[in-house]
Amino acid sequence: MTRLFWQTLLGATALVGVSVSAHAAEILVPAQPDALARALEKAQDGDVLRLSAGIHQGPVIIDRSLVLKGEPGAELKGNGKGSVITVEAPDVVVDGLVITGSGLSNQTIDSGVKLTKKADRARITGNKFLNNLVGVDVHGPDDAYVADNLIEGRRDLRPNERGNGIYVWNSPRLMVEFNTIKYGRDGVFVNTSPKDTFRNNYFENTRFAVHYMYGNKGVISNNISVDNHIGYALMFSDKLTITNNVSDGDRDHGLMLNYANNAVITGNHVKASPEKCLFMYNANKNKVDGNTFERCEIGVHFTAGSAKNKFSNNAFIGNKTQVKYVGTRHLEWTYEGRGNFWSDHSAFDMNGDGVADTAYRPNDMVDQILWTQPAAKLLTGSPAVQLLSWTQSQFPALLPGGIVDTKPLMHAPELAMPKVGARR
C-alpha cells in the first residue's frame, strides 16, 4: 500500500478517536554514487534505510526521524571535510555501519557522527568508527544513547592533535555503554553536562580514559582503563558516583580528583600505575570506600587543602609509598569504626574482630623532609635520620601532622572485578 493511503487512513480515523500509526517504509540503498543522498531526500519520518554492503558516499545530513542501518559490509565514507553524519532530527537511529573519513578540524569538532541540539533520543549503536577526528560528538541533545560501538582514533596524528572518542557538551541524561575506545586524545570528554552515565566501556591508549569537567551528578561505573596516561580525571564536578571501575597500568594516575566534591568513590580497583593510584587536589567531602590501590609508586597523593573526606574499607597493597600527605593537620582515615587495610602494617588482632590493635601512620617527619627537600635523600642512611624515624614510631605525639588510621583492617576487602564486552 502507498504512503498516501496510510496517511489518508490515519487522518480519517483520527476523527473518530482511533489511533493508527503511520506506515514506515523500508528502503534498500545500493552502494552507488549519490544513492544515499537521494534516499535521504525522499525519506519520511519512521522510514528505515538499509545500506547494502559496499562504500556509500558521505557526508550526509539526517533531518528526519528515521533509521539508518547498515547491512554487513556497509561503509559510509566521508570526503575528509566536516562530519560524516550530522543528525538534526529527534529519534534517529544509526546502527551497524563502518563510518570513516571525517575532517580534521578541532574547531568544528569534525566527527563520524555529530548529534546536534535537535537530535534528542538519538541512538548510535553497533558501529565501527575508524580514522575520524572525533568518533561521536554529542552536542546538546537530551536522552541520547551511544552503545556497542568500536571507536578508534587517528594514529597518524600526534596525541594532542587527535580528537576524543566521544565528545559531550550539555547533553543531559546521556547513556554511554559497552563501547571500546582506543587511540584518541581522550576516550570520553565531558564538558558541562549533568546526569550522564558511562558504564561498561573499555578504554586503551588514550590521554585520559574519562575526562569529566562540570558534569554534576554523573555516574561512571564498571569501566576498564588500560595503559592510558590517566584513567579517570574528574574535575570541577559535584556529586559524581564512581563505582566498580578498573585502572590497570595507567601511566600517571589511575584516579584523579581536582575540585571534585561530594563524590561517592566505591569498589574501584587501581593497580600498577608508575606514579599514583589516586591523586586528590582540593577535593572535598568525598566518600572513598571499598577500593583497592595496588602496586603504584604512590597509593594516594593527598594535597591542596582537601578536607572532610571519608576513607574506609580500602585496601592499600604493595605501593612503594602508601600515602603522600604534606600538611600539618592530623587526618583520621577511619569511618564508623572501620579503617583500611595496609599491606605493610605489622599488627596483631588479639580479640579477633578483624581490626588491628595498633593504629597505622603511613608517614613521619622524615617523609615530610624528603618530599619538601629532595636533596635530603642523601642522608636517609645516616644514624641521625634512622634515630629520628625510630623515635617518632615510639612517640607518635612527635609527629608533625598527617594521616592516621586508628582502626586498620587485618584483611583486604574483596572486590568483584567488572567484565566489559560488547553485547552484540
Side-chain angles (χ1 to χ4, degrees):
M1 296 184 182
T2 66
R3 182 181 290 112
L4 178 60
F5 170 82
W6 284 101
Q7 290 174 341
T8 303
L9 179 61
L10 178 62
T13 53
L15 297 176
V16 294
V18 179
S19 176
V20 177
S21 61
H23 176 67
E26 185 166 318
I27 303 165
L28 181 64
V29 181
Q32 299 173 358
D34 299 323
L36 177 56
R38 291 195 300 270
L40 286 169
E41 286 179 0
K42 297 177 181 179
Q44 301 295 318
D45 288 348
D47 285 354
V48 177
L49 274 59
R50 290 188 175 274
L51 276 60
S52 61
I55 297 177
H56 298 258
Q57 293 178 336
V60 297
I61 297 175
I62 301 175
D63 58 4
R64 291 149 217 195
S65 302
L66 53 78
V67 176
L68 191 66
K69 184 172 180 62
E71 297 291 323
E75 178 179 339
L76 182 51
K77 187 174 183 179
N79 62 4
K81 297 179 181 179
S83 295
V84 182
I85 300 175
T86 300
V87 179
E88 293 188 345
D91 302 303
V92 169
V93 177
V94 178
D95 178 81
L97 288 166
V98 176
I99 301 172
T100 185
S102 81
L104 294 177
S105 173
N106 278 296
Q107 183 175 1
T108 54
I109 317 179
D110 293 348
S111 310
V113 170
K114 180 184 291 292
L115 304 179
T116 69
K117 291 189 289 186
K118 299 178 182 179
D120 292 345
R121 299 175 299 282
R123 296 177 64 87
I124 311 301
T125 57
N127 305 286
K128 292 182 179 179
F129 293 87
L130 307 175
N131 292 317
N132 303 290
L133 183 67
V134 173
V136 182
D137 175 19
V138 189
H139 217 87
D142 294 348
D143 302 295
Y145 183 67
V146 181
D148 295 299
N149 302 287
L150 169 66
I151 303 175
E152 292 190 357
R154 295 282 299 259
R155 280 183 273 181
D156 57 331
L157 301 175
R158 292 177 294 183
N160 285 341
E161 294 174 338
R162 300 172 187 170
N164 304 304
I166 300 175
Y167 179 95
V168 183
W169 176 81
N170 193 25
S171 299
R173 297 173 302 281
L174 167 68
M175 172 70 75
V176 174
E177 62 178 354
F178 292 102
N179 301 283
T180 295
I181 302 177
K182 301 179 180 181
Y183 310 118
R185 180 168 52 191
D186 294 339
V188 168
F189 177 64
V190 177
N191 186 9
T192 316
S193 190
K195 299 181 180 180
D196 295 339
T197 298
F198 302 86
R199 66 188 186 191
N200 299 305
N201 302 288
Y202 177 86
F203 304 95
E204 184 178 344
N205 280 303
T206 68
R207 184 183 65 164
F208 302 164
V210 176
H211 189 180
Y212 220 86
M213 298 186 68
Y214 304 103
N216 299 335
K217 298 182 180 180
V219 176
I220 302 170
S221 66
N222 287 84
N223 302 287
I224 294 179
S225 170
V226 177
D227 200 24
N228 304 288
H229 281 281
I230 294 178
Y232 309 91
L234 316 172
M235 306 181 184
F236 305 100
S237 298
D238 193 52
K239 296 182 180 179
L240 298 178
T241 300
I242 316 299
T243 61
N244 302 323
N245 302 285
V246 169
S247 166
D248 187 352
D250 290 324
R251 296 187 286 279
D252 296 332
H253 316 312
L255 276 165
M256 181 180 73
L257 275 65
N258 181 10
Y259 288 85
N261 303 313
N262 300 294
V264 175
I265 303 167
T266 62
N268 303 286
H269 190 175
V270 183
K271 63 179 181 178
S273 172
E275 292 198 17
K276 302 165 186 176
C277 283
L278 169 61
F279 179 47
M280 298 182 69
Y281 183 93
N282 199 16
N284 305 284
K285 300 180 181 179
N286 299 291
K287 181 181 180 181
V288 184
D289 182 273
N291 307 281
T292 296
F293 305 113
E294 181 179 0
R295 293 187 290 114
C296 297
E297 182 73 15
I298 297 174
V300 176
H301 187 182
F302 194 78
T303 188
S306 299
K308 298 183 179 180
N309 295 285
K310 299 172 182 176
F311 280 79
S312 61
N313 296 302
N314 302 290
F316 294 84
I317 301 173
N319 302 296
K320 187 173 181 180
T321 298
Q322 301 281 41
V323 178
K324 179 177 180 178
Y325 170 69
V326 180
T328 58
R329 292 178 299 161
H330 288 274
L331 302 179
E332 172 64 66
W333 279 15
T334 297
Y335 180 64
E336 294 183 344
R338 289 184 63 83
N340 307 274
F341 173 77
W342 308 89
S343 61
D344 57 341
H345 184 40
S346 300
F348 295 98
D349 178 16
M350 298 301 293
N351 61 3
D353 63 354
V355 176
D357 296 333
T358 56
Y360 177 82
R361 293 174 174 82
N363 308 132
D364 60 18
M365 184 177 290
V366 174
D367 292 326
Q368 303 269 4
I369 294 171
L370 294 178
W371 293 332
T372 57
Q373 305 293 331
K377 290 182 180 179
L378 296 173
L379 303 175
T380 53
S382 68
V385 171
Q386 294 178 7
L387 178 61
L388 179 60
S389 296
W390 178 85
T391 302
Q392 289 186 127
S393 68
Q394 301 303 310
F395 302 98
L398 297 176
L399 288 168
I403 308 300
V404 58
D405 185 346
T406 57
K407 301 289 184 180
L409 305 180
M410 294 297 295
H411 303 285
E414 294 185 3
L415 292 183
M417 302 296 289
K419 296 181 180 180
V420 173
R423 297 170 298 180
R424 299 172 67 84

